[in-house]
Amino acid sequence: MTTIANIGEALTAAEDALEAQGDARADLKDSLAGYVKRLTSPEASHEPLRTTARQHITLAQLLLALGMTERSFSVADVTLRHMELTEADMEVFAPDTWNELGSLLAEHDDLDRARMVLNYALNRAQLRAAPELARILANLSAVSLRAGHLEDASVWAQKAVTVLGQSYGGDPEARLTADWVRVEVASIQRDTAELAVAVREFAASVDLFITSLTDDDDPKAIAARSALAEARFQLARAAQDDERAEEQLGELEIAHLRAVALLGSDHQQTLIAQAALAAAEYDAAGGAVLSAARRQQAVALLDSATAKAARTLGHDHSQTVALRAALADIRSGSAPPDELPYDIEHVYTPQESKARNKAKAEAIKRERNMIRLVAHAGASFFLKDLKRFHPQVVHALNQGSNFYAIISSPWNSLAMFTKHDATAERPNSHNIIDIVAASDYYDKTFLPVIDSYRTLQETYPGQVELRLTHIDIPGSTLLTKHKGFFEPYITSNPERRTRRKFNVFEVEFHKDSRYYTDSAYEFEIQWELASPLDQFEANEDQHKKALRDAVSAQADDRSLKATGLPRTVKGDGERRP
């Protein structure tokens, strides 16, 4: 293995590796891995990055092309950190350098930092009226779209189009990206009128971009053709023009075959084209009995794309998540709810608490439709101080989602478990209300949750509703449009059901699982039986009386058992003491 001494030699080795095959490529990759390890070592000196940052970004891009994903990300990560340190007291790097780094981070699906870096680039470009401004805006729109920020994506895309119409010169790729985002946003929002306008402009951008290329096998050109055919198919379906829809379905199939031939079956753009074809095939099949085979073929095609994406991109990659959500949609729509399998996507143990929290947070953050929650107190979702899921709920509400929650009444029968101190007075019908009102659960969790709910209700009128149930809740259930999570409770003590560490297990399942449909059905029943907060508060004295009666009945039952007297049976079969 040859030792690489500097960034120049590393770039040469990476370029040679792309051309080499077999053992020669393996040797070069080993040399590159050694160089990256030294480069990213905490002891390494990075003063030269002031002049070679762009070269390090290029190296990371080449490593990514070589399939050395982790090494590429390490180089990108250390480059970002040292660029930020270099600019602590003065501006050093040009807008295009920040833009390239932001695009690289987006390739690694590090979308939050990609947006941050692209905003660095944007601020710098605006001050200098730099020619890269349109490209930066277009990249910001694309990253925002992938992160699920539709409104932001639309704004950035329109700004890019506006800039391209001014004096900054032409940029076919920037125009293609901006118009592509506009098409995707209109499609997701089901805005047919806007989609029709965006498709016309996108078609012109596709032609302009392809004309500017020297090779016709550019991955972005192949993906753009597929996206254009998909958008035209949606317009045809909206207009109920079956003939034109079938024509665009053919174009989608050609785009997919072309991607397979030129890029390979596992390439990210090939998988996107395959998913678009599958969704269109499923949509075109409709509900006709004779189309069952066509729907099954579409499901199989999307299933294959999802499996490949998970293998090549990773289970948590935004593209894999999007494909898995689409697969769950068409699977759940192709079979009766009672015929869906009891599939579990993942079982999280307490040792996987961070992974569990990340998965739930991402599911909430991506939601644009409806979030449903059943929990004992819902503190993780309503209270800021827990730093758990409240920011994601607020984000979803800002994106237009609705939030419906069911929590336990503090006066239900579980209140009898509140005190377990052997020296404390046993709960009885006279003191049970005071015991609950004095508990940490009531004072530090229940009341703050109610206050938080009222704040959310005022801030997002019509989007948030909380109901209280007197039925014991066996566990916490969270449902978004595509995913579900369930964590069983292992204790009946209200004070040990909230403000605690993850200590049991939690299952994650998708929309195409019977667990999802069963959970959604259970939520509907609970929702009908639960009381809206205003109604609950208007009748709170009755709820307290019901708790006293329940405690009294239990005390009477204990006394009866303590007598040890045998029971006789009345003539009607009813037992009595």
Side-chain angles (χ1 to χ4, degrees):
M1 182 181 75
T2 304
T3 299
I4 298 174
N6 54 55
I7 185 62
E9 291 181 8
L11 289 171
T12 300
E15 291 168 350
D16 290 344
L18 287 172
E19 299 293 331
Q21 300 293 331
D23 292 341
R25 172 176 279 204
D27 288 343
L28 286 166
K29 289 176 71 172
D30 286 343
S31 298
L32 285 165
Y35 175 75
V36 171
K37 184 176 181 180
R38 294 192 301 276
L39 177 71
T40 57
S41 169
E43 292 79 24
S45 173
H46 292 284
E47 185 61 28
L49 271 181
R50 184 181 294 270
T51 56
T52 60
R54 187 61 179 267
Q55 289 175 293
H56 283 85
I57 294 171
T58 302
L59 174 62
Q61 292 168 333
L62 292 170
L63 292 171
L64 189 60
L66 285 166
M68 301 174 69
T69 306
E70 291 184 10
R71 305 291 185 183
S72 172
F73 185 73
S74 295
V75 174
D77 185 60
V78 76
T79 302
L80 171 59
R81 285 192 287 112
H82 287 279
M83 284 175 66
E84 288 180 318
L85 288 172
T86 300
E87 290 207 343
D89 54 0
M90 61 181 297
E91 292 184 3
V92 174
F93 302 106
D96 65 322
T97 302
W98 285 111
N99 180 52
E100 285 296 316
L101 181 57
S103 299
L104 175 62
L105 291 169
E107 285 294 308
H108 282 286
D109 211 44
D110 190 350
L111 302 181
D112 288 338
R113 289 205 300 178
R115 293 178 75 203
M116 176 191 73
V117 170
L118 288 170
N119 271 301
Y120 288 167
L122 176 63
N123 292 336
R124 195 72 46 82
Q126 287 175 326
L127 289 173
R128 301 182 183 183
E132 299 87 8
L133 180 57
R135 183 170 288 246
I136 295 166
L137 289 166
N139 287 339
L140 263 172
S141 71
V143 172
S144 298
L145 177 65
R146 284 176 56 190
H149 306 291
L150 298 187
E151 295 302 323
D152 291 357
S154 180
V155 169
W156 293 128
Q158 190 54 57
K159 285 181 179 292
V161 171
T162 301
V163 168
L164 286 164
Q166 296 174 354
S167 57
Y168 292 93
D171 189 334
E173 186 173 6
R175 183 60 187 251
L176 176 77
T177 301
D179 284 338
W180 197 337
V181 169
R182 292 170 60 210
V183 165
E184 292 291 335
V185 171
S187 177
I188 293 170
Q189 295 179 335
R190 299 185 182 278
D191 187 339
T192 305
E194 177 61 27
L195 181 60
V197 174
V199 165
R200 285 197 299 271
E201 297 180 8
F202 182 44
S205 297
V206 172
D207 289 341
L208 178 63
F209 179 69
I210 292 175
T211 302
S212 70
L213 297 173
T214 55
D215 298 317
D216 201 26
D217 60 349
D218 183 275
K220 196 163 188 175
I222 293 170
R225 282 196 178 102
S226 176
L228 181 59
E230 181 184 13
R232 284 172 168 167
F233 172 83
Q234 291 181 11
L235 285 175
R237 291 289 293 172
Q240 299 183 334
D241 188 338
D242 293 339
E243 183 177 349
R244 188 155 55 95
E246 287 294 333
E247 178 184 333
Q248 293 307 314
L249 196 58
E251 291 295 324
L252 274 169
E253 188 167 4
I254 291 171
H256 175 238
L257 292 173
R258 186 177 183 82
V260 171
L262 297 175
L263 305 176
S265 60
D266 290 346
H267 193 281
Q268 185 175 356
Q269 299 299 349
T270 304
L271 299 179
I272 295 172
Q274 184 171 329
L277 174 61
E281 282 279 8
Y282 186 86
D283 193 14
V289 177
L290 295 177
S291 298
R294 191 174 184 180
R295 290 197 299 274
Q296 290 176 356
Q297 182 180 0
V299 171
L301 194 63
L302 187 52
D303 191 13
S304 172
T306 304
K308 290 178 182 177
R311 185 173 64 251
T312 59
L313 303 176
H315 286 278
D316 296 328
H317 193 279
S318 61
Q319 192 60 54
T320 306
V321 172
L323 290 175
R324 185 66 184 86
L327 178 62
D329 276 346
I330 67 173
R331 272 184 173 164
S332 63
S334 62
D338 58 354
E339 292 183 11
L340 291 172
Y342 283 104
D343 285 342
I344 291 176
E345 190 73 12
H346 193 91
V347 178
Y348 297 98
T349 64
Q351 292 74 28
E352 299 172 291
S353 179
K354 288 185 179 180
R356 185 282 301 252
N357 291 344
K358 181 180 178 182
K360 292 179 78 169
E362 284 298 318
I364 298 168
K365 191 175 179 180
R366 292 175 183 273
E367 187 55 45
R368 299 292 178 272
N369 189 322
M370 179 170 57
I371 299 167
R372 289 167 286 183
L373 172 70
V374 182
H376 184 79
S380 295
F381 300 84
F382 282 99
L383 302 186
K384 292 180 182 179
D385 66 297
L386 292 186
K387 298 178 181 179
R388 192 69 56 80
F389 306 122
H390 183 267
Q392 288 77 21
V393 168
V394 170
H395 175 83
L397 291 170
N398 283 327
Q399 297 296 317
S401 183
N402 294 313
F403 181 35
Y404 302 105
I406 302 170
I407 65 172
S408 292
S409 159
W411 316 118
N412 67 19
S413 59
L414 287 183
M416 289 185 280
F417 291 87
T418 299
K419 285 233 176 184
H420 280 270
D421 185 348
T423 63
E425 182 182 3
R426 180 183 290 276
N428 58 58
S429 60
H430 302 292
N431 67 11
I432 186 62
I433 301 302
D434 292 336
I435 287 175
V436 173
S439 68
D440 282 348
Y441 154 68
Y442 186 78
D443 183 54
K444 297 180 180 178
T445 299
F446 178 76
L447 292 180
V449 163
I450 298 302
D451 288 342
S452 176
Y453 163 64
R454 293 201 186 284
T455 300
L456 289 175
Q457 193 181 41
E458 291 174 3
T459 308
Y460 305 96
Q463 289 181 249
V464 187
E465 185 172 351
L466 174 70
R467 294 191 178 189
L468 290 91
T469 180
H470 303 279
I471 301 172
D472 181 25
I473 295 173
S476 172
T477 302
L478 171 69
L479 298 175
T480 64
K481 182 179 179 182
H482 298 290
K483 282 188 178 183
F485 297 84
F486 175 73
E487 176 194 359
Y489 294 134
I490 205 168
T491 176
S492 297
N493 185 352
E495 292 191 315
R496 296 179 62 193
R497 284 191 172 190
T498 187
R499 286 185 177 272
R500 58 174 174 76
K501 292 182 178 180
F502 175 37
N503 61 2
V504 191
F505 66 86
E506 186 151 0
V507 294
E508 175 187 342
F509 42 87
H510 282 270
K511 189 177 181 180
D512 53 348
S513 170
R514 178 70 181 271
Y515 288 115
Y516 186 95
T517 57
D518 286 352
S519 298
Y521 179 67
E522 177 66 16
F523 181 89
E524 291 176 6
I525 294 175
Q526 288 269 24
W527 187 255
E528 291 301 319
L529 295 174
S531 303
L533 179 59
D534 291 344
Q535 180 181 326
F536 168 80
E537 291 180 334
N539 298 291
E540 195 162 9
D541 287 342
Q542 296 180 32
H543 301 314
K544 293 178 179 179
K545 181 180 182 302
L547 173 59
R548 291 192 189 97
D549 291 344
V551 174
S552 178
Q554 187 183 55
D556 290 344
D557 190 51
R558 281 200 301 266
S559 297
L560 182 64
K561 290 179 181 178
T563 64
L565 296 176
R567 294 188 175 190
T568 60
V569 181
K570 295 193 294 185
D572 59 0
E574 180 184 349
R575 290 188 178 273
R576 64 183 179 185

